[in-house]
Coordinates of all heavy atoms in Angstrom, one line a residue:
M21 N 204.1 59.7 103.4 CA 203.6 59.1 102.2 C 202.0 59.1 102.2 O 201.3 59.2 101.1 CB 204.1 57.5 102.1 CG 203.8 56.9 100.9 SD 204.6 57.6 99.4 CE 204.3 56.6 98.2
R22 N 201.5 58.8 103.3 CA 200.1 58.8 103.4 C 199.5 60.1 103.1 O 198.4 60.2 102.5 CB 199.7 58.3 104.8 CG 198.2 58.0 105.0 CD 197.9 57.4 106.4 NE 197.2 56.3 106.0 CZ 196.7 55.5 107.0 NH1 197.2 55.6 108.3 NH2 196.0 54.4 106.8
K23 N 200.2 61.2 103.6 CA 199.5 62.5 103.4 C 199.5 62.8 101.8 O 198.6 63.4 101.3 CB 200.4 63.6 104.2 CG 200.1 63.6 105.6 CD 200.9 64.8 106.2 CE 200.7 64.8 107.7 NZ 201.4 65.8 108.4
L24 N 200.7 62.5 101.1 CA 200.7 62.6 99.7 C 199.5 61.9 99.0 O 198.9 62.4 98.0 CB 202.1 62.1 99.1 CG 202.2 62.3 97.7 CD1 202.1 63.7 97.2 CD2 203.8 61.7 97.3
S25 N 199.3 60.7 99.4 CA 198.2 59.9 98.8 C 196.8 60.6 98.9 O 196.0 60.7 98.1 CB 198.1 58.5 99.5 OG 199.3 57.9 99.3
F26 N 196.7 61.2 100.2 CA 195.3 61.9 100.5 C 195.3 63.1 99.5 O 194.2 63.4 99.0 CB 195.2 62.2 101.8 CG 194.8 61.1 102.8 CD1 195.6 60.8 104.0 CD2 193.7 60.5 102.5 CE1 195.3 59.6 104.7 CE2 193.3 59.4 103.3 CZ 193.9 59.0 104.5
A27 N 196.4 63.8 99.3 CA 196.4 65.0 98.6 C 196.2 64.7 97.1 O 195.4 65.4 96.4 CB 197.7 65.7 98.7
V28 N 196.7 63.6 96.6 CA 196.6 63.3 95.2 C 195.0 62.8 95.0 O 194.4 63.2 94.1 CB 197.4 62.0 94.8 CG1 197.0 61.4 93.5 CG2 198.9 62.5 94.8
V29 N 194.5 62.0 95.9 CA 193.1 61.7 95.7 C 192.1 62.8 95.9 O 191.2 63.0 95.1 CB 192.7 60.7 96.9 CG1 191.2 60.4 97.0 CG2 193.4 59.4 96.8
G30 N 192.5 63.9 96.8 CA 191.7 65.0 96.8 C 191.7 66.0 95.6 O 190.7 66.4 95.1
I31 N 192.9 66.1 95.0 CA 193.0 66.8 93.7 C 192.3 66.1 92.7 O 191.6 66.7 91.8 CB 194.5 67.0 93.4 CG1 195.1 68.0 94.5 CG2 194.7 67.5 92.0 CD1 196.6 68.0 94.3
A32 N 192.3 64.8 92.6 CA 191.6 64.1 91.5 C 190.2 64.3 91.6 O 189.5 64.4 90.7 CB 192.1 62.5 91.6
A33 N 189.6 64.2 92.8 CA 188.2 64.4 93.1 C 187.7 65.8 92.7 O 186.7 65.9 92.2 CB 187.9 64.0 94.5
L34 N 188.6 66.7 93.0 CA 188.2 68.1 92.7 C 188.1 68.4 91.2 O 187.4 69.0 90.6 CB 189.1 69.1 93.4 CG 188.8 69.2 94.9 CD1 189.9 70.2 95.6 CD2 187.5 69.8 95.2
S35 N 189.1 67.8 90.6 CA 189.3 67.9 89.0 C 188.1 67.3 88.4 O 187.6 67.7 87.4 CB 190.5 67.2 88.5 OG 191.7 67.8 89.1
A36 N 187.6 66.2 89.0 CA 186.4 65.5 88.4 C 185.2 66.4 88.6 O 184.0 66.1 87.9 CB 186.2 64.2 88.9
C37 N 185.0 67.3 89.5 CA 183.8 68.1 89.8 C 183.8 69.5 89.2 O 183.1 70.3 89.6 CB 183.8 68.2 91.3 SG 183.5 66.7 92.0
S38 N 185.0 69.7 88.3 CA 185.0 71.0 87.8 C 183.6 71.4 87.0 O 183.0 70.6 86.3 CB 186.1 71.2 86.8 OG 185.9 70.3 85.8
I39 N 183.3 72.7 87.2 CA 182.0 73.2 86.4 C 182.3 73.7 85.1 O 183.2 74.7 85.0 CB 181.3 74.1 87.3 CG1 180.9 73.5 88.6 CG2 180.2 74.8 86.7 CD1 180.3 74.6 89.6
D40 N 181.7 73.3 84.1 CA 182.0 73.8 82.7 C 180.6 74.6 82.5 O 179.5 74.1 82.3 CB 182.1 72.6 81.8 CG 182.3 73.1 80.4 OD1 182.4 74.3 80.1 OD2 182.2 72.3 79.5
P41 N 180.7 76.0 82.3 CA 179.7 76.8 82.0 C 178.7 76.4 80.8 O 177.7 76.6 80.6 CB 180.2 78.2 81.8 CG 181.5 78.1 82.6 CD 182.0 76.7 82.4
K42 N 179.5 75.7 79.9 CA 178.9 75.3 78.5 C 177.6 74.3 78.8 O 176.7 74.5 78.1 CB 179.9 74.7 77.6 CG 180.8 75.6 76.9 CD 180.3 75.8 75.6 CE 181.3 76.6 74.8 NZ 180.6 77.6 73.8
Q43 N 177.7 73.6 79.8 CA 176.7 72.6 80.0 C 175.4 73.3 80.6 O 174.4 72.7 80.7 CB 177.1 71.5 81.0 CG 177.4 72.0 82.4 CD 178.0 70.9 83.2 OE1 178.7 69.9 82.8 NE2 177.8 71.0 84.5
W44 N 175.5 74.5 81.0 CA 174.6 75.3 81.5 C 173.8 76.4 80.8 O 172.9 77.0 80.9 CB 174.8 76.0 82.9 CG 175.3 74.9 84.0 CD1 176.5 74.6 84.2 CD2 174.6 74.1 84.6 NE1 176.7 73.6 85.1 CE2 175.3 73.4 85.5 CE3 173.1 73.8 84.9 CZ2 175.0 72.4 86.4 CZ3 172.7 73.0 85.8 CH2 173.6 72.3 86.5
E45 N 174.5 76.6 79.5 CA 174.0 77.6 78.6 C 172.6 77.3 78.0 O 172.2 76.2 77.8 CB 174.9 77.6 77.3 CG 176.3 78.2 77.7 CD 177.1 78.2 76.4 OE1 176.9 77.8 75.3 OE2 178.3 78.8 76.5
T46 N 171.9 78.4 77.8 CA 170.6 78.4 77.2 C 170.8 78.9 75.8 O 171.9 79.5 75.6 CB 169.6 79.4 78.0 OG1 169.9 80.6 78.0 CG2 169.4 78.7 79.4
E47 N 169.7 79.1 75.0 CA 169.8 79.8 73.8 C 170.1 81.3 74.0 O 169.4 81.9 74.9 CB 168.5 79.7 73.0 CG 168.2 78.2 72.4 CD 169.3 77.9 71.4 OE1 169.6 78.6 70.5 OE2 169.7 76.7 71.4
P48 N 170.9 81.9 73.2 CA 171.2 83.4 73.3 C 169.8 84.2 73.3 O 168.9 83.8 72.6 CB 172.0 83.8 72.2 CG 172.7 82.4 71.9 CD 171.7 81.4 72.1
V49 N 169.8 85.3 74.1 CA 168.6 86.1 74.1 C 169.0 87.5 73.7 O 170.1 88.0 74.1 CB 168.1 86.1 75.6 CG1 167.0 87.1 75.7 CG2 167.7 84.8 76.0
T50 N 168.0 88.2 73.0 CA 168.4 89.6 72.5 C 167.5 90.5 73.4 O 166.4 90.3 73.6 CB 168.0 89.8 71.2 OG1 168.7 88.8 70.3 CG2 168.3 91.3 70.7
V51 N 168.3 91.5 73.9 CA 167.7 92.5 74.8 C 167.8 93.9 74.1 O 168.9 94.3 73.6 CB 168.5 92.7 76.3 CG1 167.9 93.8 77.0 CG2 168.3 91.3 76.9
E52 N 166.6 94.6 73.9 CA 166.5 96.0 73.4 C 167.0 96.9 74.4 O 166.4 97.0 75.5 CB 165.3 96.2 72.8 CG 164.8 95.4 71.6 CD 165.7 95.6 70.4 OE1 166.2 96.6 70.2 OE2 165.8 94.5 69.6
T53 N 168.0 97.8 74.1 CA 168.4 98.8 75.1 C 168.3 100.1 74.3 O 168.2 100.2 73.1 CB 169.8 98.6 75.5 OG1 170.8 99.0 74.5 CG2 170.1 97.2 76.0
P54 N 168.3 101.3 75.0 CA 168.3 102.6 74.5 C 169.5 102.9 73.4 O 169.4 103.6 72.5 CB 168.6 103.5 75.6 CG 167.9 102.8 76.8 CD 168.5 101.3 76.5
N55 N 170.6 102.1 73.7 CA 171.8 102.2 72.8 C 171.8 101.1 71.7 O 172.7 101.1 70.8 CB 173.0 102.0 73.6 CG 173.2 103.3 74.4 OD1 172.7 104.4 74.2 ND2 174.0 103.1 75.5
G56 N 170.8 100.3 71.6 CA 170.8 99.2 70.6 C 170.6 97.8 71.2 O 170.5 97.6 72.4
R57 N 170.8 96.8 70.3 CA 170.6 95.4 70.9 C 171.8 94.9 71.6 O 172.9 95.0 71.0 CB 170.1 94.6 69.6 CG 168.9 94.8 69.0 CD 168.4 94.0 67.9 NE 167.2 94.3 67.4 CZ 166.7 93.9 66.2 NH1 167.4 93.4 65.3 NH2 165.4 94.3 65.9
V58 N 171.6 94.0 72.5 CA 172.7 93.3 73.2 C 172.2 91.9 73.1 O 171.0 91.5 73.6 CB 172.7 93.8 74.7 CG1 173.7 93.0 75.4 CG2 173.2 95.1 74.7
V59 N 173.1 91.0 72.7 CA 172.8 89.6 72.6 C 173.4 89.0 73.8 O 174.7 89.2 74.1 CB 173.2 89.0 71.4 CG1 173.1 87.4 71.3 CG2 172.5 89.5 70.2
C60 N 172.6 88.4 74.7 CA 173.1 87.8 76.0 C 173.2 86.2 75.9 O 172.4 85.6 75.4 CB 172.1 88.1 77.1 SG 171.9 89.9 77.2
Q61 N 174.3 85.8 76.6 CA 174.4 84.3 76.9 C 173.9 84.0 78.2 O 174.6 84.6 79.1 CB 175.8 83.7 76.7 CG 175.9 82.3 76.9 CD 175.0 81.4 76.0 OE1 175.2 81.4 74.8 NE2 174.1 80.9 76.7
L62 N 172.7 83.5 78.3 CA 172.3 83.3 79.8 C 172.5 81.8 80.1 O 172.7 81.0 79.3 CB 170.8 83.5 79.8 CG 170.3 85.0 79.4 CD1 168.7 85.0 79.6 CD2 170.9 86.0 80.2
Y63 N 172.4 81.5 81.4 CA 172.7 80.1 81.8 C 171.6 79.8 82.7 O 170.5 80.4 82.6 CB 174.1 80.2 82.6 CG 175.3 80.5 81.8 CD1 175.7 81.9 81.5 CD2 175.9 79.5 81.2 CE1 176.7 82.1 80.8 CE2 177.1 79.8 80.3 CZ 177.4 81.1 80.1 OH 178.5 81.3 79.3
S64 N 171.8 78.6 83.4 CA 170.7 78.2 84.3 C 170.2 79.4 85.1 O 170.9 80.3 85.5 CB 171.2 77.2 85.2 OG 170.4 76.8 86.2
P65 N 168.8 79.3 85.5 CA 168.3 80.4 86.3 C 169.0 80.4 87.6 O 168.9 81.6 88.4 CB 166.8 80.0 86.4 CG 166.5 79.1 85.2 CD 167.9 78.5 84.9
D66 N 169.5 79.4 88.0 CA 170.3 79.3 89.3 C 171.6 80.0 89.3 O 172.3 80.0 90.3 CB 170.4 77.9 89.9 CG 169.0 77.3 90.2 OD1 168.1 77.9 90.4 OD2 168.9 76.0 89.9
I67 N 172.1 80.3 88.1 CA 173.6 80.8 88.0 C 173.4 82.1 87.1 O 174.2 82.2 86.1 CB 174.4 79.8 87.2 CG1 174.1 78.4 87.8 CG2 175.8 80.1 87.2 CD1 174.9 77.2 87.1
V68 N 172.7 83.0 87.6 CA 172.8 84.4 86.8 C 173.9 85.1 86.9 O 174.1 85.9 86.0 CB 171.4 85.2 87.2 CG1 170.1 84.6 86.9 CG2 171.5 85.5 88.7
R69 N 174.8 84.9 87.8 CA 176.0 85.7 87.8 C 176.9 85.4 86.7 O 178.0 86.0 86.4 CB 176.8 85.3 89.1 CG 177.3 83.9 89.3 CD 178.3 83.8 90.5 NE 178.7 82.4 90.7 CZ 178.5 81.6 91.6 NH1 177.8 82.2 92.8 NH2 179.0 80.5 91.8
W70 N 176.7 84.2 86.0 CA 177.6 84.0 84.7 C 177.0 84.7 83.5 O 177.6 84.8 82.6 CB 177.5 82.5 84.5 CG 178.2 81.6 85.4 CD1 179.2 82.0 86.3 CD2 178.4 80.3 85.4 NE1 179.7 80.9 87.0 CE2 179.2 79.8 86.4 CE3 177.7 79.2 84.6 CZ2 179.5 78.4 86.7 CZ3 178.0 77.9 85.0 CH2 178.9 77.6 86.0
D71 N 175.7 85.1 83.7 CA 175.1 85.7 82.4 C 176.1 86.8 81.9 O 176.5 87.7 82.6 CB 173.8 86.3 82.8 CG 172.7 85.2 83.1 OD1 173.1 84.0 82.9 OD2 171.7 85.5 83.6
R72 N 176.3 86.9 80.5 CA 177.1 88.0 79.9 C 176.7 88.3 78.6 O 175.9 87.5 77.9 CB 178.5 87.5 80.0 CG 178.7 86.2 79.1 CD 180.1 85.5 79.1 NE 180.2 84.3 78.5 CZ 180.4 84.3 77.1 NH1 180.5 85.2 76.4 NH2 180.4 83.1 76.5
A73 N 177.2 89.4 77.9 CA 176.9 89.8 76.6 C 177.9 89.1 75.7 O 179.0 89.0 76.0 CB 177.1 91.3 76.5
I74 N 177.3 88.7 74.5 CA 178.2 88.1 73.6 C 178.2 88.9 72.3 O 179.0 88.7 71.5 CB 177.7 86.6 73.2 CG1 176.4 86.5 72.8 CG2 178.1 85.7 74.4 CD1 175.9 85.1 72.4
E75 N 177.4 89.9 72.3 CA 177.2 90.9 71.1 C 176.7 92.2 71.8 O 175.8 92.1 72.6 CB 176.4 90.5 70.0 CG 177.0 89.5 69.2 CD 176.1 89.1 68.0 OE1 175.4 90.0 67.4 OE2 176.0 87.8 67.6
R76 N 177.3 93.3 71.5 CA 176.9 94.6 71.9 C 177.2 95.7 71.0 O 178.0 95.6 70.1 CB 177.5 95.0 73.3 CG 179.0 95.1 73.2 CD 179.9 95.3 74.5 NE 181.2 95.2 74.3 CZ 182.0 96.1 73.8 NH1 181.6 97.2 73.4 NH2 183.3 95.9 73.7
P77 N 176.5 96.8 71.1 CA 176.7 98.0 70.2 C 178.1 98.4 70.5 O 178.6 98.4 71.6 CB 175.7 99.0 70.6 CG 174.6 98.3 71.4 CD 175.2 97.0 71.9
E78 N 178.7 99.1 69.4 CA 180.1 99.5 69.7 C 180.2 100.7 70.6 O 181.3 100.8 71.2 CB 180.7 100.1 68.3 CG 180.9 98.9 67.2 CD 181.5 99.4 66.0 OE1 182.2 100.6 66.0 OE2 181.4 98.9 64.9
N79 N 179.1 101.4 70.8 CA 179.2 102.6 71.7 C 178.9 102.1 73.2 O 178.7 103.0 74.0 CB 178.4 103.6 71.3 CG 176.9 103.3 71.2 OD1 176.5 102.1 71.2 ND2 176.0 104.3 71.1
M80 N 178.8 100.9 73.4 CA 178.4 100.3 74.8 C 179.7 99.5 75.4 O 180.3 98.8 74.7 CB 177.2 99.5 74.7 CG 176.8 99.0 76.1 SD 175.3 97.9 76.0 CE 174.1 99.0 75.5
S81 N 180.0 99.8 76.7 CA 181.0 99.1 77.3 C 180.6 97.7 77.6 O 179.5 97.4 77.6 CB 181.4 99.8 78.6 OG 180.4 99.6 79.6
V82 N 181.6 96.9 77.7 CA 181.4 95.3 78.0 C 180.7 95.4 79.4 O 179.7 94.6 79.5 CB 182.6 94.5 78.2 CG1 182.5 93.2 78.7 CG2 183.3 94.6 76.8
K83 N 181.1 96.1 80.4 CA 180.5 96.2 81.7 C 179.0 96.5 81.6 O 178.2 95.9 82.2 CB 181.3 97.2 82.7 CG 180.8 97.2 84.1 CD 181.6 98.2 84.9 CE 181.1 98.1 86.3 NZ 182.0 99.1 87.1
T84 N 178.6 97.5 80.9 CA 177.2 97.9 80.7 C 176.4 96.8 80.0 O 175.3 96.5 80.5 CB 177.0 99.3 79.9 OG1 177.8 100.3 80.7 CG2 175.7 99.7 79.7
A85 N 177.0 96.3 78.9 CA 176.2 95.2 78.3 C 176.0 94.0 79.2 O 175.0 93.3 79.2 CB 177.1 94.7 77.0
D86 N 177.2 93.6 79.8 CA 177.0 92.4 80.8 C 175.9 92.8 82.0 O 175.2 91.9 82.3 CB 178.3 92.2 81.5 CG 179.3 91.5 80.5 OD1 178.9 91.0 79.5 OD2 180.5 91.4 80.9
A87 N 175.8 94.0 82.3 CA 174.8 94.4 83.3 C 173.4 94.2 82.7 O 172.4 93.7 83.5 CB 175.0 95.8 83.7
Y88 N 173.1 94.6 81.6 CA 171.9 94.3 80.9 C 171.5 92.8 80.9 O 170.4 92.4 81.0 CB 171.9 94.8 79.4 CG 171.5 96.3 79.4 CD1 172.5 97.2 78.9 CD2 170.3 96.8 79.6 CE1 172.3 98.5 78.7 CE2 169.9 98.2 79.5 CZ 171.0 99.1 79.2 OH 170.7 100.4 79.0
C89 N 172.5 92.0 80.5 CA 172.4 90.6 80.6 C 172.0 90.1 81.9 O 171.2 89.1 82.1 CB 173.6 89.9 79.8 SG 173.8 90.4 78.1
H90 N 172.8 90.5 82.9 CA 172.6 90.0 84.1 C 171.1 90.3 84.7 O 170.4 89.5 85.2 CB 173.6 90.6 85.2 CG 173.3 90.3 86.6 ND1 173.7 89.0 87.1 CD2 172.7 91.0 87.6 CE1 173.4 89.0 88.4 NE2 172.7 90.0 88.8
N91 N 170.7 91.6 84.3 CA 169.2 92.0 84.7 C 168.4 91.2 83.9 O 167.2 90.8 84.5 CB 169.1 93.4 84.4 CG 170.0 94.3 85.3 OD1 170.3 94.0 86.4 ND2 170.2 95.6 84.8
E92 N 168.6 90.8 82.6 CA 167.7 89.9 82.0 C 167.6 88.6 82.6 O 166.6 87.9 82.7 CB 168.2 89.7 80.6 CG 167.2 88.9 79.6 CD 165.8 89.4 79.5 OE1 165.5 90.7 79.7 OE2 164.9 88.7 79.1
G93 N 168.8 88.1 83.0 CA 168.7 86.7 83.7 C 168.0 86.7 85.1 O 167.2 85.8 85.3
V94 N 168.1 87.8 85.8 CA 167.3 87.9 87.0 C 165.7 88.1 86.6 O 164.9 87.3 87.2 CB 167.8 89.2 87.8 CG1 166.9 89.5 89.0 CG2 169.2 89.0 88.4
K95 N 165.6 88.8 85.6 CA 164.1 88.8 85.1 C 163.4 87.5 84.8 O 162.4 87.1 85.2 CB 164.0 90.0 84.0 CG 162.7 90.1 83.4 CD 162.7 91.0 82.2 CE 161.6 90.9 81.4 NZ 161.7 91.8 80.1
Q96 N 164.2 86.8 83.9 CA 163.7 85.4 83.5 C 163.7 84.5 84.8 O 163.0 83.5 84.7 CB 164.7 85.0 82.5 CG 164.3 85.6 81.2 CD 165.0 84.9 79.9 OE1 165.4 83.7 80.1 NE2 165.0 85.7 78.8
Q97 N 164.6 84.8 85.6 CA 164.4 83.9 86.9 C 163.2 83.9 87.6 O 162.7 83.0 88.1 CB 165.6 84.3 87.9 CG 166.0 83.4 89.0 CD 167.1 83.9 89.8 OE1 167.2 85.2 90.1 NE2 168.1 83.1 90.2
G98 N 162.5 85.1 87.6 CA 161.3 85.2 88.3 C 160.1 84.8 87.6 O 159.0 84.8 88.0
M99 N 160.4 84.4 86.2 CA 159.1 83.9 85.3 C 158.6 82.5 85.7 O 159.4 81.7 86.2 CB 159.5 84.1 83.9 CG 159.9 85.3 83.3 SD 160.4 85.3 81.6 CE 159.7 86.8 81.2

C-alpha cells in the first residue's frame, strides 16, 4: 500500500511539472531563403530545439524549413 501511495504522489508531481511549449513562444519570425519565405515559431533562446516552421514554400520539405528555423533560433541565441 505504501508503494502505491508513493507512486501516486510521484505521478501527480510529474504531471504538475509538464512543460507547455506555448508558454515559451516568441512572436513568429520570417526568414528569407533561396526558395522563399519561411515563417518560424521560435521559443526561448534556451530551447532552440523546439524551433519550427509554421509556414513554408510548397516546394520545400518540412525538414528543410524546420532546419532554417532552428538555425535562426541559434543565430538569435547569440545576439
Side-chain angles (χ1 to χ4, degrees):
M21 184 69 169
R22 189 174 226 173
K23 287 182 182 180
L24 179 61
S25 296
F26 284 123
V28 170
V29 170
I31 291 170
L34 288 175
S35 297
C37 297
S38 68
I39 296 175
D40 180 13
K42 284 262 185 217
Q43 69 188 22
W44 301 100
E45 289 180 354
T46 64
E47 288 296 315
V49 174
T50 301
V51 177
E52 296 293 335
T53 75
N55 294 336
R57 292 181 177 163
V58 175
V59 179
C60 302
Q61 179 59 69
L62 303 181
Y63 295 85
S64 165
D66 298 330
I67 313 174
V68 295
R69 70 173 176 236
W70 287 352
D71 296 347
R72 62 185 175 84
I74 55 176
E75 291 181 31
R76 62 183 168 79
E78 286 184 24
N79 63 345
M80 183 182 291
S81 71
V82 172
K83 184 177 179 179
T84 299
D86 285 347
Y88 278 112
C89 293
H90 177 77
N91 291 340
E92 182 64 20
V94 170
K95 178 179 159 187
Q96 289 193 13
Q97 192 177 41
M99 295 179 144

